Structures are given as structure tokens and as C-alpha cells.
Amino acid sequence: MCGRYASARKKHELLEEFQVEQDGDPDKELGPDYNVAPTKNVYAVLSRVPESAERGVRQLRILKWGLVPAWAKDPSVGSRMINARAETLAEKPSFRSAFAKRRCLLPADGYFEWMPVEGDKKKKQPYFIHPEDGGVLAMAGLYEFWKDPTRDDDDPLKWLVTCTVITTDAEDDLGHIHDRMPMMIERERWAEWLDPQMTDTKTASGLLVPAQSGRLTAVPVSTEVNSVRNNGPELIEPLPDGEGDGLF
């Protein structure tokens, strides 16, 4: 699963990087977050077709991480739906509608995984996994709208918009750390992946291609990342030489 990631780029950088046409939350900006955890607000790139328009408009929106299906009775289920397996997206009731119509990209600088320490299974060493070239990750995601039946129609909190990270089998270079990893969408596939008018799930599945081996690198980092209360650039700094050795 993908349960933590880092997203520290400023809004204007993401607007430019993802060629966003509309800032969906112009009055809000998230601060740098080096320890993004489930139920937090996160940036998402998505495309919506405005009324009387012929095509989708690419937007940057702030969503809550943990997908709440439209039919859910209680939004608390979102904390258990932070990930969606790529292999079963078209089958699972929680995700199949969003997979057909509401796909998104979740920008990240990298993500964290934990590996048991050799000789002590109670201890786990965290790793920060990120593009070797320092570029941004476009994690494949889905988003959904949930209507709160307890609120009035004019209440700005009437609608909750949530998201989930799509996961796949980890590539060979990373599989020794954890057997799953976030699915990435390559730049040349962004437009098609985000297109809300493309509703064929077989076509969408064809866009889910695992990252090329060697593109990502993993470095051992401090166990400070274990606590969601800790946040800061030090969480993604590699441990000094020698620390974290003996794990492979």
C-alpha cells in the first residue's frame, strides 16, 4: 500500500508543471507537506467538463485523501480506502464508477515505504522513494463526490470530494522493500488519463503502465517519519553513510 508521501511543491509550480487551465481553489494553498498521511487534504489534478462546454478543463483541486463512495452512509469509510488496486478497479463497487469517469493525478515528490530490519522483525526501516532526476511524480488516482444528507443544500460543506491512490506490483528494484507501489502516469498519457469523456475502462486500464525500472531510487531515512506529527524536509534526507546498512 501507499500510506505516506511527500508533496512540497508550491501551487504555482504545480499549475505550471501540469499545464493546469483553472485553479479550482484559488483562495486556498496547501503548505509544503513532507509527511502526507491519510485523511489529509492534498492537491489533485483533474479535468471537468463545464456546462455547455465541449471538452474537459484541467484543474488543480484540493481533495481529502481517502475515497468515500457516493453511496456510502458514513464518510468515515474513506480512511480505509486510501489505495485502490489497479488489478481490480473495474470490478470493485467502491472504485469502478470513478475509474470510468473520475480519474486524477496526485502530485508527489516521492513516497515512503517500510522494510523489516534483518534480524529484528519488530523494527522497520523507512525509505523515501523518489525519481532519481528529482522530478515530480504523477501518481494515478481516482476521486469521488459524497453528499452529506445532514447538511442544507446551500451549506458549503454539503459536498465532500475525496481521492485514492492507485497501486500496482512494485518494480524489481523496489520489490525487496515492499511488494506494492503507487501507479505512475507518464506525461504523454496525462491528457488521455484525465479525459472525463473517455469512459471505456479497458482503454483506461491500458494507460496504467508500471514505472520503468531504474527511474526511481530509494534511500533510508529517519524513523521520525513514523509519526504523522513530524513534518519537515529532514524527513526525506538520506541517513548518514553506514546507518541503515545490513538491510539487503
Side-chain angles (χ1 to χ4, degrees):
M1 65 179 292
C2 173
R4 302 282 182 83
Y5 67 93
S7 181
R9 283 173 167 78
K10 296 182 181 298
K11 176 188 273 191
H12 71 85
E13 295 177 288
L14 296 177
L15 292 171
E16 181 178 352
E17 176 73 25
F18 288 89
Q19 299 178 317
V20 172
E21 300 169 88
Q22 179 183 342
D23 184 347
D25 292 287
D27 299 324
K28 300 178 182 178
E29 180 161 6
L30 300 176
D33 196 337
Y34 296 89
N35 200 356
V36 180
T39 74
K40 279 189 172 184
N41 288 333
V42 300
Y43 282 126
V45 179
L46 53 92
S47 182
R48 302 283 295 171
V49 181
E51 290 185 17
S52 71
E54 296 183 357
R55 68 171 184 86
V57 175
R58 191 175 296 185
Q59 306 175 18
L60 183 70
R61 298 284 298 271
I62 296 175
L63 312 183
K64 186 176 181 179
W65 185 15
L67 189 138
V68 180
W71 43 261
K73 294 182 179 180
D74 189 324
S76 64
V77 301
S79 62
R80 303 193 299 273
M81 297 189 186
I82 63 169
N83 290 163
R85 295 177 69 92
E87 298 87 346
T88 56
L89 290 174
E91 304 167 12
K92 296 289 186 180
S94 299
F95 305 123
R96 62 190 178 198
S97 178
F99 183 43
K101 303 174 183 177
R102 289 175 291 279
R103 298 175 298 273
C104 64
L105 298 172
L106 300 169
D109 299 308
Y111 64 97
F112 296 96
E113 285 295 359
W114 283 257
M115 179 179 176
V117 174
E118 186 176 351
D120 190 345
K121 293 184 178 180
K122 292 183 179 181
K123 291 184 179 180
K124 291 186 177 182
Q125 172 61 51
Y127 281 80
F128 182 58
I129 303 170
H130 62 95
E132 196 162 21
D133 62 5
V136 65
L137 287 179
M139 300 190 298
L142 307 174
Y143 69 97
E144 189 58 275
F145 295 93
W146 183 78
K147 189 177 183 180
D148 189 339
T150 67
R151 297 183 180 275
D152 295 332
D153 288 343
D154 59 353
D155 189 329
L157 299 179
K158 179 73 174 179
W159 289 94
L160 176 66
V161 191
T162 59
C163 61
T164 187
V165 176
I166 297 173
T167 65
T168 185
D169 288 334
E171 56 153 291
D172 292 344
D173 291 346
L174 304 174
H176 59 273
I177 298 175
H178 196 277
D179 62 349
R180 303 291 291 180
M181 66 181 291
M183 178 69 76
M184 314 300 173
I185 302 293
E186 297 300 329
R187 185 180 298 269
E188 61 270 18
R189 297 188 177 96
W190 287 357
E192 194 171 3
W193 173 255
L194 295 174
D195 185 0
Q197 296 172 313
M198 192 276 286
T199 59
D200 181 68
T201 54
K202 289 186 178 179
T203 302
S205 294
L207 301 174
L208 294 172
V209 179
Q212 293 181 350
S213 180
R215 183 190 168 197
L216 302 177
T217 186
V219 295
V221 294
S222 169
T223 53
E224 289 295 307
V225 73
N226 294 358
S227 172
V228 296
R229 293 189 296 271
N230 296 328
N231 209 319
E234 67 277 4
L235 298 183
I236 65 173
E237 290 295 322
L239 290 177
D241 290 344
E243 294 189 38
D245 285 351
L247 296 174
F248 303 105

